[in-house]
Structures are given as structure tokens and as C-alpha cells.
Amino acid sequence: MLNDVKCKESVKIVCENGEYSYNMLKEYIDIYKNRLYSLGLNELKTVAVIIEKSYLNLLVTCVLIEFGCIILYIDSNNKFLFKEILAAYQPDYIIACKEILCYNFYKEISKLVFFEHNMFIYQLKKNSTMWKNIINNDMYNGSFVFFTSGTSQMPKAVLRTRNNIMHDALHNIQTFSITQKDIIVCAVAFNHVYGFGSGVMPYLFAGSKIIFVNPFTTTKKLTNVLIEKQATIFVGLPIHYKILLESDITQLEIRLALSAGSSLSTDINTDFYKKFGVCINNMYGMSETGAISTYYNFRKLADGGDNNCGTPLKGVKVMCRDIGEGNEYGVINVCSDSVSDGYIMPFSGEIKAIKDKEGWYGTNDIGYIDANNCIHIKGRIENIFSISGKKINSETIEKVVKRFPGIEEAVVIGQKDDLKDTVLIVYIVQNDTVALDELKSFLYDKLPSYCIPKEYYIIEKIPKSKNGKILKNKLMIEKVNNITN
């Protein structure tokens, strides 16, 4: 992967261990490559990488790419899914930053020191043929597998080739005019598709200086590194921009601020511009596509508001496809060289294609594209339900529910009953006592009868991923404090 870097002499990686040039990185990579080779880890292998620190993730990735391995990135914070993912996809090896429970089908074979950190190496006890067809296909050598958030089901394994990653990086470089003179501070996890595709790779290939910061950093550490390193680009999450707004600093040298992972409010963007004179580029993308579009206009638009995802990156095409009669919006479709070939199916290893014959991928986001080619997202297609012959968007109902006094959060889902009819269920987090009878009366006054939820659950909190996405598959197992049918 380092061989693809254009301006090798200008590359710098800065982390808690120090600053490393391109030549220093190459030396380390050669050392670790030999060590792993001695353990039997070489070409035509699949490797699960479970590492928290982004710079270690990058180093291990560079070593494995030298072998042409297929790399599976697994979130180290999601221990619940370790067993399911490892059992379903059976990678040949695991490289982890800490000892993990491998559920009897892996064995620990070594412990190596990478950049002064212990790395635990595990090997699959029994050879698997699951990856045979993929690993023997030259176009997939050195590919990457990202797992979707799994908010409503088992995470999907998205296969992204080196060609996909290179084009994703190129789209970012061309759109944001990234050069070797840029100094980047990245506070996003490398194993997340946003941190990988928009937080590291474009700058690595452009020959920029990349400074890694812990995503859970403090206000003081974040402000110090941005000021002392004279950063020109900051890649962060909405929480980081909230931290910067609450800090005492009044000036930054950054020319480009990126955000993704969860929604960025217009208020934060407006306040950030007023304080620092920089608009935050809110990125829209997904594991299957990489970066799709960016929205940098902090002014709230009358026809889109916070749902405006901006215009496509250079090299990315978008269009809207109709989802049937009675719907004013369509499904956002994407076409570019960075779009994945498909999902790797669990246990079988078959690739399930996700693009049509023309190369278009349906995102399942519904919305519209305006005359300025701006993408406006109005919801997810799985949040559209047919009840009494009418199409209902659950997010519309949620907005009305949250207007009722005492309700802090609300999530509406649709579930089939014994007659295969869709029943609307609302989960509520209250910040004051909510009288459900009064809530029902309120909803009957504001919504058509077919939009009124049938079941009401008051719970302590809405389960969410670390990026703020609602884990709908966990809602049903949340402890119910109050139930009214």
C-alpha cells in the first residue's frame, strides 16, 4: 500500500510513539512482515484485525497488504459480535491488540510487539475452504472487508478491492484539493469506513502528514495538537466539534473540517463557522460505497435543512429511483469506481452482487436530488411501512411523538403480527413522567388513525452504536418499564 504513495519523501505519520517518515515505516513493515511470515502468515490468507489504536491498525494493514492478504476489520468494542462474526467468516488468522476469547475454534500461536504494543496472533484450528474462490481471484488480492453497523440485523461483510479504495481516496483528493503540504489531524477510528476512507487513505496517497488522535481525547489534548501542529485539515465526529465550540480557543489554522458517523446539527455548524470561520463538511457515505457527497453550507435550507447531504464528490454519480405509486421520494442510487462488488455471504464465502448491470447501487436511503444536484435524505426504505394501503414513514411519526411533553427520545418500528399485518410500536425515553393515555390523544389529534402506534414501551435508553446509530435489533430485548397495549 505504501508503494502507491506518490510523494514518498513528504509522508509523515505522527502518533503517541513519535513521528515516522516513509523510509522508517518501510523498515518497520519489512521487520514485521518477516516475523509474521515465520508464523505461516503469508500470501493467500484472510486476517481479522481487531485493533483499537488507528496508527497500529494502519501499520498492520500495510504489512498484510504486502502479502496480498484479505483484511477483515472488526470493531474491538463490539465483543457481542466477536463470536458471530468469527464463526460466520472464519478468517485464517486474527491479529488483536489484546487477548480475546476465541470460542475454541482458534488457537493463540504467538505474541509480537508492534510499535511497543503487544499483539496477539491467533490461527484457525481447522482449515477452511470458505474463502477459496475469493482468495484465488487476483482482483481480490489485498482487499478489505468492512462490516456494516448491524443496527437491525447481523452486520454484513462488505468487500472493497484495492481499486475501490484507491478511487475513494482519489475522489476525496480531487474534491478537497488535498496536497502533500496538508497537515491532517485524524480523531476517527481507522477501522471505521469513514476514518479509513476519508481520514487516512487520501492523505497517505497524497503524501500528507497525518497526526493520529484518540477519538475519546480530551478538550485540552485536541486543541493543543490542532494549534501546535498547525493542522490544515481536521477529520472528526460531531462530538469533537462540540468540544471545540466549548473550548477557550478562538482561532484555528484549518482550512477543511470533516464530520460523519452521526448527524451534525445545523446549529453546531453555524456556531463553528461564527467562531472559527470554517464550514464543517458533513460527509455522507457508507461501507458499500465509501464517501458519496459532502455538505458544507451551514445555512439551513428551507427545502432540506439538516437532511441536506450536499453534492457528490468528484468521480461519484447519483440519481433517484422511484419506489412506487404514492411516494413523493425515491431511493438514492450511487455509481462510482469506489462502490463495492458485493457482500461476502457468511459460511459459504459467495459474493452477493449489490450493483445492477449499469453499476448502480441502491443505498436504501429515500429522498430526492434537487436542481443543484444536492442530495436530500428523508429516511430509510426499511422505515417505510404499508398500513391500510397507505405508505407511512416511521420517522415522521417519531417527530410528532417527540413533541409531546416529557419525551426525550422516541423510536418507531414496524413489526408483523400473527396475521402478517404491520403493527407500529413506539419505544420512548422520558425525561418526565409521560401519561400514555394523554400521549395517545395527542397523537390522534396530530396524525391520521393509521399512523397511531398500537404498542407503547417506556425504556431507560435507546440502544445505539458508538457512532450514534440506533440498534433496532436490540430494542426488543431492552428491559421494559411500562407496557400498554
Side-chain angles (χ1 to χ4, degrees), residues 447-463:
L447 295 168
S449 59
Y450 56 82
C451 290
I452 308 300
K454 301 298 182 185
E455 300 179 14
Y456 298 76
Y457 293 76
I458 295 180
I459 60 178
E460 292 183 2
K461 65 178 182 179
I462 303 295

mmCIF file with all atom_site columns, all heavy atoms in Angstrom, residues 447-463:
data_model
loop_
_atom_site.group_PDB
_atom_site.id
_atom_site.type_symbol
_atom_site.label_atom_id
_atom_site.label_alt_id
_atom_site.label_comp_id
_atom_site.label_asym_id
_atom_site.label_entity_id
_atom_site.label_seq_id
_atom_site.pdbx_PDB_ins_code
_atom_site.Cartn_x
_atom_site.Cartn_y
_atom_site.Cartn_z
_atom_site.occupancy
_atom_site.B_iso_or_equiv
_atom_site.pdbx_formal_charge
_atom_site.auth_seq_id
_atom_site.auth_comp_id
_atom_site.auth_asym_id
_atom_site.auth_atom_id
_atom_site.pdbx_PDB_model_num
ATOM 1   N N   . LEU A 1 447 ? -52.105 13.063 13.990 1.00 0.00 ? 447 LEU A N   1
ATOM 2   C CA  . LEU A 1 447 ? -51.813 12.102 12.929 1.00 0.00 ? 447 LEU A CA  1
ATOM 3   C C   . LEU A 1 447 ? -53.072 11.384 12.448 1.00 0.00 ? 447 LEU A C   1
ATOM 4   O O   . LEU A 1 447 ? -54.046 11.256 13.212 1.00 0.00 ? 447 LEU A O   1
ATOM 5   C CB  . LEU A 1 447 ? -50.819 11.045 13.433 1.00 0.00 ? 447 LEU A CB  1
ATOM 6   C CG  . LEU A 1 447 ? -49.411 11.506 13.813 1.00 0.00 ? 447 LEU A CG  1
ATOM 7   C CD1 . LEU A 1 447 ? -48.688 10.396 14.563 1.00 0.00 ? 447 LEU A CD1 1
ATOM 8   C CD2 . LEU A 1 447 ? -48.629 11.902 12.568 1.00 0.00 ? 447 LEU A CD2 1
ATOM 9   N N   . PRO A 1 448 ? -53.059 10.876 11.201 1.00 0.00 ? 448 PRO A N   1
ATOM 10  C CA  . PRO A 1 448 ? -54.159 10.024 10.751 1.00 0.00 ? 448 PRO A CA  1
ATOM 11  C C   . PRO A 1 448 ? -54.224 8.760  11.614 1.00 0.00 ? 448 PRO A C   1
ATOM 12  O O   . PRO A 1 448 ? -53.213 8.330  12.180 1.00 0.00 ? 448 PRO A O   1
ATOM 13  C CB  . PRO A 1 448 ? -53.778 9.682  9.306  1.00 0.00 ? 448 PRO A CB  1
ATOM 14  C CG  . PRO A 1 448 ? -52.774 10.717 8.913  1.00 0.00 ? 448 PRO A CG  1
ATOM 15  C CD  . PRO A 1 448 ? -52.051 11.101 10.153 1.00 0.00 ? 448 PRO A CD  1
ATOM 16  N N   . SER A 1 449 ? -55.364 8.161  11.711 1.00 0.00 ? 449 SER A N   1
ATOM 17  C CA  . SER A 1 449 ? -55.560 6.999  12.596 1.00 0.00 ? 449 SER A CA  1
ATOM 18  C C   . SER A 1 449 ? -54.625 5.838  12.251 1.00 0.00 ? 449 SER A C   1
ATOM 19  O O   . SER A 1 449 ? -54.168 5.115  13.144 1.00 0.00 ? 449 SER A O   1
ATOM 20  C CB  . SER A 1 449 ? -57.016 6.530  12.533 1.00 0.00 ? 449 SER A CB  1
ATOM 21  O OG  . SER A 1 449 ? -57.363 6.175  11.199 1.00 0.00 ? 449 SER A OG  1
ATOM 22  N N   . TYR A 1 450 ? -54.309 5.660  10.951 1.00 0.00 ? 450 TYR A N   1
ATOM 23  C CA  . TYR A 1 450 ? -53.454 4.537  10.571 1.00 0.00 ? 450 TYR A CA  1
ATOM 24  C C   . TYR A 1 450 ? -51.988 4.765  10.938 1.00 0.00 ? 450 TYR A C   1
ATOM 25  O O   . TYR A 1 450 ? -51.166 3.864  10.827 1.00 0.00 ? 450 TYR A O   1
ATOM 26  C CB  . TYR A 1 450 ? -53.591 4.224  9.070  1.00 0.00 ? 450 TYR A CB  1
ATOM 27  C CG  . TYR A 1 450 ? -53.311 5.395  8.146  1.00 0.00 ? 450 TYR A CG  1
ATOM 28  C CD1 . TYR A 1 450 ? -52.009 5.744  7.787  1.00 0.00 ? 450 TYR A CD1 1
ATOM 29  C CD2 . TYR A 1 450 ? -54.356 6.154  7.626  1.00 0.00 ? 450 TYR A CD2 1
ATOM 30  C CE1 . TYR A 1 450 ? -51.748 6.813  6.952  1.00 0.00 ? 450 TYR A CE1 1
ATOM 31  C CE2 . TYR A 1 450 ? -54.104 7.239  6.786  1.00 0.00 ? 450 TYR A CE2 1
ATOM 32  C CZ  . TYR A 1 450 ? -52.809 7.569  6.452  1.00 0.00 ? 450 TYR A CZ  1
ATOM 33  O OH  . TYR A 1 450 ? -52.553 8.627  5.627  1.00 0.00 ? 450 TYR A OH  1
ATOM 34  N N   . CYS A 1 451 ? -51.662 5.978  11.389 1.00 0.00 ? 451 CYS A N   1
ATOM 35  C CA  . CYS A 1 451 ? -50.288 6.281  11.813 1.00 0.00 ? 451 CYS A CA  1
ATOM 36  C C   . CYS A 1 451 ? -50.104 6.156  13.330 1.00 0.00 ? 451 CYS A C   1
ATOM 37  O O   . CYS A 1 451 ? -48.993 6.369  13.834 1.00 0.00 ? 451 CYS A O   1
ATOM 38  C CB  . CYS A 1 451 ? -49.900 7.698  11.392 1.00 0.00 ? 451 CYS A CB  1
ATOM 39  S SG  . CYS A 1 451 ? -49.680 7.921  9.614  1.00 0.00 ? 451 CYS A SG  1
ATOM 40  N N   . ILE A 1 452 ? -51.152 5.820  14.053 1.00 0.00 ? 452 ILE A N   1
ATOM 41  C CA  . ILE A 1 452 ? -51.082 5.740  15.507 1.00 0.00 ? 452 ILE A CA  1
ATOM 42  C C   . ILE A 1 452 ? -50.469 4.402  15.929 1.00 0.00 ? 452 ILE A C   1
ATOM 43  O O   . ILE A 1 452 ? -50.966 3.348  15.539 1.00 0.00 ? 452 ILE A O   1
ATOM 44  C CB  . ILE A 1 452 ? -52.478 5.888  16.145 1.00 0.00 ? 452 ILE A CB  1
ATOM 45  C CG1 . ILE A 1 452 ? -53.176 7.154  15.625 1.00 0.00 ? 452 ILE A CG1 1
ATOM 46  C CG2 . ILE A 1 452 ? -52.369 5.889  17.669 1.00 0.00 ? 452 ILE A CG2 1
ATOM 47  C CD1 . ILE A 1 452 ? -52.446 8.425  15.923 1.00 0.00 ? 452 ILE A CD1 1
ATOM 48  N N   . PRO A 1 453 ? -49.376 4.425  16.691 1.00 0.00 ? 453 PRO A N   1
ATOM 49  C CA  . PRO A 1 453 ? -48.772 3.167  17.166 1.00 0.00 ? 453 PRO A CA  1
ATOM 50  C C   . PRO A 1 453 ? -49.767 2.346  17.996 1.00 0.00 ? 453 PRO A C   1
ATOM 51  O O   . PRO A 1 453 ? -50.615 2.913  18.694 1.00 0.00 ? 453 PRO A O   1
ATOM 52  C CB  . PRO A 1 453 ? -47.599 3.641  18.032 1.00 0.00 ? 453 PRO A CB  1
ATOM 53  C CG  . PRO A 1 453 ? -47.267 5.004  17.511 1.00 0.00 ? 453 PRO A CG  1
ATOM 54  C CD  . PRO A 1 453 ? -48.577 5.605  17.104 1.00 0.00 ? 453 PRO A CD  1
ATOM 55  N N   . LYS A 1 454 ? -49.626 1.033  17.938 1.00 0.00 ? 454 LYS A N   1
ATOM 56  C CA  . LYS A 1 454 ? -50.503 0.123  18.682 1.00 0.00 ? 454 LYS A CA  1
ATOM 57  C C   . LYS A 1 454 ? -49.905 -0.257 20.034 1.00 0.00 ? 454 LYS A C   1
ATOM 58  O O   . LYS A 1 454 ? -50.626 -0.596 20.964 1.00 0.00 ? 454 LYS A O   1
ATOM 59  C CB  . LYS A 1 454 ? -50.761 -1.143 17.861 1.00 0.00 ? 454 LYS A CB  1
ATOM 60  C CG  . LYS A 1 454 ? -51.403 -0.894 16.510 1.00 0.00 ? 454 LYS A CG  1
ATOM 61  C CD  . LYS A 1 454 ? -52.775 -0.248 16.636 1.00 0.00 ? 454 LYS A CD  1
ATOM 62  C CE  . LYS A 1 454 ? -53.409 -0.049 15.261 1.00 0.00 ? 454 LYS A CE  1
ATOM 63  N NZ  . LYS A 1 454 ? -54.699 0.679  15.350 1.00 0.00 ? 454 LYS A NZ  1
ATOM 64  N N   . GLU A 1 455 ? -48.583 -0.237 20.117 1.00 0.00 ? 455 GLU A N   1
ATOM 65  C CA  . GLU A 1 455 ? -47.915 -0.626 21.354 1.00 0.00 ? 455 GLU A CA  1
ATOM 66  C C   . GLU A 1 455 ? -46.952 0.477  21.785 1.00 0.00 ? 455 GLU A C   1
ATOM 67  O O   . GLU A 1 455 ? -46.292 1.089  20.948 1.00 0.00 ? 455 GLU A O   1
ATOM 68  C CB  . GLU A 1 455 ? -47.163 -1.947 21.181 1.00 0.00 ? 455 GLU A CB  1
ATOM 69  C CG  . GLU A 1 455 ? -48.057 -3.121 20.791 1.00 0.00 ? 455 GLU A CG  1
ATOM 70  C CD  . GLU A 1 455 ? -47.264 -4.400 20.614 1.00 0.00 ? 455 GLU A CD  1
ATOM 71  O OE1 . GLU A 1 455 ? -46.095 -4.443 21.034 1.00 0.00 ? 455 GLU A OE1 1
ATOM 72  O OE2 . GLU A 1 455 ? -47.818 -5.363 20.044 1.00 0.00 ? 455 GLU A OE2 1
ATOM 73  N N   . TYR A 1 456 ? -46.856 0.673  23.125 1.00 0.00 ? 456 TYR A N   1
ATOM 74  C CA  . TYR A 1 456 ? -46.023 1.735  23.684 1.00 0.00 ? 456 TYR A CA  1
ATOM 75  C C   . TYR A 1 456 ? -45.115 1.137  24.761 1.00 0.00 ? 456 TYR A C   1
ATOM 76  O O   . TYR A 1 456 ? -45.597 0.501  25.699 1.00 0.00 ? 456 TYR A O   1
ATOM 77  C CB  . TYR A 1 456 ? -46.893 2.835  24.299 1.00 0.00 ? 456 TYR A CB  1
ATOM 78  C CG  . TYR A 1 456 ? -47.786 3.530  23.306 1.00 0.00 ? 456 TYR A CG  1
ATOM 79  C CD1 . TYR A 1 456 ? -48.947 2.920  22.835 1.00 0.00 ? 456 TYR A CD1 1
ATOM 80  C CD2 . TYR A 1 456 ? -47.478 4.790  22.813 1.00 0.00 ? 456 TYR A CD2 1
ATOM 81  C CE1 . TYR A 1 456 ? -49.772 3.538  21.912 1.00 0.00 ? 456 TYR A CE1 1
ATOM 82  C CE2 . TYR A 1 456 ? -48.295 5.428  21.895 1.00 0.00 ? 456 TYR A CE2 1
ATOM 83  C CZ  . TYR A 1 456 ? -49.437 4.794  21.447 1.00 0.00 ? 456 TYR A CZ  1
ATOM 84  O OH  . TYR A 1 456 ? -50.250 5.416  20.527 1.00 0.00 ? 456 TYR A OH  1
ATOM 85  N N   . TYR A 1 457 ? -43.816 1.337  24.605 1.00 0.00 ? 457 TYR A N   1
ATOM 86  C CA  . TYR A 1 457 ? -42.852 0.816  25.566 1.00 0.00 ? 457 TYR A CA  1
ATOM 87  C C   . TYR A 1 457 ? -42.020 1.977  26.113 1.00 0.00 ? 457 TYR A C   1
ATOM 88  O O   . TYR A 1 457 ? -41.416 2.718  25.341 1.00 0.00 ? 457 TYR A O   1
ATOM 89  C CB  . TYR A 1 457 ? -41.905 -0.187 24.905 1.00 0.00 ? 457 TYR A CB  1
ATOM 90  C CG  . TYR A 1 457 ? -42.571 -1.473 24.456 1.00 0.00 ? 457 TYR A CG  1
ATOM 91  C CD1 . TYR A 1 457 ? -43.359 -1.499 23.313 1.00 0.00 ? 457 TYR A CD1 1
ATOM 92  C CD2 . TYR A 1 457 ? -42.396 -2.641 25.171 1.00 0.00 ? 457 TYR A CD2 1
ATOM 93  C CE1 . TYR A 1 457 ? -43.972 -2.665 22.898 1.00 0.00 ? 457 TYR A CE1 1
ATOM 94  C CE2 . TYR A 1 457 ? -42.993 -3.820 24.762 1.00 0.00 ? 457 TYR A CE2 1
ATOM 95  C CZ  . TYR A 1 457 ? -43.790 -3.823 23.624 1.00 0.00 ? 457 TYR A CZ  1
ATOM 96  O OH  . TYR A 1 457 ? -44.383 -4.982 23.222 1.00 0.00 ? 457 TYR A OH  1
ATOM 97  N N   . ILE A 1 458 ? -42.010 2.121  27.420 1.00 0.00 ? 458 ILE A N   1
ATOM 98  C CA  . ILE A 1 458 ? -41.145 3.126  28.042 1.00 0.00 ? 458 ILE A CA  1
ATOM 99  C C   . ILE A 1 458 ? -39.888 2.415  28.530 1.00 0.00 ? 458 ILE A C   1
ATOM 100 O O   . ILE A 1 458 ? -39.962 1.496  29.352 1.00 0.00 ? 458 ILE A O   1
ATOM 101 C CB  . ILE A 1 458 ? -41.850 3.831  29.211 1.00 0.00 ? 458 ILE A CB  1
ATOM 102 C CG1 . ILE A 1 458 ? -43.040 4.623  28.684 1.00 0.00 ? 458 ILE A CG1 1
ATOM 103 C CG2 . ILE A 1 458 ? -40.879 4.760  29.938 1.00 0.00 ? 458 ILE A CG2 1
ATOM 104 C CD1 . ILE A 1 458 ? -43.823 5.365  29.746 1.00 0.00 ? 458 ILE A CD1 1
ATOM 105 N N   . ILE A 1 459 ? -38.735 2.808  28.014 1.00 0.00 ? 459 ILE A N   1
ATOM 106 C CA  . ILE A 1 459 ? -37.469 2.162  28.341 1.00 0.00 ? 459 ILE A CA  1
ATOM 107 C C   . ILE A 1 459 ? -36.477 3.193  28.873 1.00 0.00 ? 459 ILE A C   1
ATOM 108 O O   . ILE A 1 459 ? -36.687 4.396  28.738 1.00 0.00 ? 459 ILE A O   1
ATOM 109 C CB  . ILE A 1 459 ? -36.883 1.423  27.118 1.00 0.00 ? 459 ILE A CB  1
ATOM 110 C CG1 . ILE A 1 459 ? -36.626 2.385  25.970 1.00 0.00 ? 459 ILE A CG1 1
ATOM 111 C CG2 . ILE A 1 459 ? -37.811 0.293  26.687 1.00 0.00 ? 459 ILE A CG2 1
ATOM 112 C CD1 . ILE A 1 459 ? -36.014 1.739  24.743 1.00 0.00 ? 459 ILE A CD1 1
ATOM 113 N N   . GLU A 1 460 ? -35.407 2.703  29.475 1.00 0.00 ? 460 GLU A N   1
ATOM 114 C CA  . GLU A 1 460 ? -34.440 3.599  30.104 1.00 0.00 ? 460 GLU A CA  1
ATOM 115 C C   . GLU A 1 460 ? -33.603 4.358  29.087 1.00 0.00 ? 460 GLU A C   1
ATOM 116 O O   . GLU A 1 460 ? -33.291 5.533  29.277 1.00 0.00 ? 460 GLU A O   1
ATOM 117 C CB  . GLU A 1 460 ? -33.527 2.808  31.044 1.00 0.00 ? 460 GLU A CB  1
ATOM 118 C CG  . GLU A 1 460 ? -34.255 2.265  32.267 1.00 0.00 ? 460 GLU A CG  1
ATOM 119 C CD  . GLU A 1 460 ? -33.308 1.555  33.211 1.00 0.00 ? 460 GLU A CD  1
ATOM 120 O OE1 . GLU A 1 460 ? -32.089 1.524  32.921 1.00 0.00 ? 460 GLU A OE1 1
ATOM 121 O OE2 . GLU A 1 460 ? -33.784 1.040  34.234 1.00 0.00 ? 460 GLU A OE2 1
ATOM 122 N N   . LYS A 1 461 ? -33.217 3.694  27.995 1.00 0.00 ? 461 LYS A N   1
ATOM 123 C CA  . LYS A 1 461 ? -32.432 4.370  26.966 1.00 0.00 ? 461 LYS A CA  1
ATOM 124 C C   . LYS A 1 461 ? -32.580 3.645  25.641 1.00 0.00 ? 461 LYS A C   1
ATOM 125 O O   . LYS A 1 461 ? -32.898 2.452  25.596 1.00 0.00 ? 461 LYS A O   1
ATOM 126 C CB  . LYS A 1 461 ? -30.955 4.457  27.354 1.00 0.00 ? 461 LYS A CB  1
ATOM 127 C CG  . LYS A 1 461 ? -30.256 3.112  27.460 1.00 0.00 ? 461 LYS A CG  1
ATOM 128 C CD  . LYS A 1 461 ? -28.779 3.299  27.813 1.00 0.00 ? 461 LYS A CD  1
ATOM 129 C CE  . LYS A 1 461 ? -28.069 1.947  27.870 1.00 0.00 ? 461 LYS A CE  1
ATOM 130 N NZ  . LYS A 1 461 ? -26.624 2.099  28.177 1.00 0.00 ? 461 LYS A NZ  1
ATOM 131 N N   . ILE A 1 462 ? -32.360 4.381  24.564 1.00 0.00 ? 462 ILE A N   1
ATOM 132 C CA  . ILE A 1 462 ? -32.389 3.811  23.217 1.00 0.00 ? 462 ILE A CA  1
ATOM 133 C C   . ILE A 1 462 ? -31.015 3.209  22.933 1.00 0.00 ? 462 ILE A C   1
ATOM 134 O O   . ILE A 1 462 ? -30.009 3.925  23.001 1.00 0.00 ? 462 ILE A O   1
ATOM 135 C CB  . ILE A 1 462 ? -32.716 4.881  22.151 1.00 0.00 ? 462 ILE A CB  1
ATOM 136 C CG1 . ILE A 1 462 ? -34.054 5.573  22.466 1.00 0.00 ? 462 ILE A CG1 1
ATOM 137 C CG2 . ILE A 1 462 ? -32.729 4.258  20.763 1.00 0.00 ? 462 ILE A CG2 1
ATOM 138 C CD1 . ILE A 1 462 ? -35.259 4.673  22.388 1.00 0.00 ? 462 ILE A CD1 1
ATOM 139 N N   . PRO A 1 463 ? -30.916 1.914  22.621 1.00 0.00 ? 463 PRO A N   1
ATOM 140 C CA  . PRO A 1 463 ? -29.601 1.323  22.325 1.00 0.00 ? 463 PRO A CA  1
ATOM 141 C C   . PRO A 1 463 ? -29.030 1.889  21.031 1.00 0.00 ? 463 PRO A C   1
ATOM 142 O O   . PRO A 1 463 ? -29.710 1.935  20.006 1.00 0.00 ? 463 PRO A O   1
ATOM 143 C CB  . PRO A 1 463 ? -29.912 -0.175 22.191 1.00 0.00 ? 463 PRO A CB  1
ATOM 144 C CG  . PRO A 1 463 ? -31.357 -0.241 21.832 1.00 0.00 ? 463 PRO A CG  1
ATOM 145 C CD  . PRO A 1 463 ? -32.006 0.931  22.523 1.00 0.00 ? 463 PRO A CD  1
#
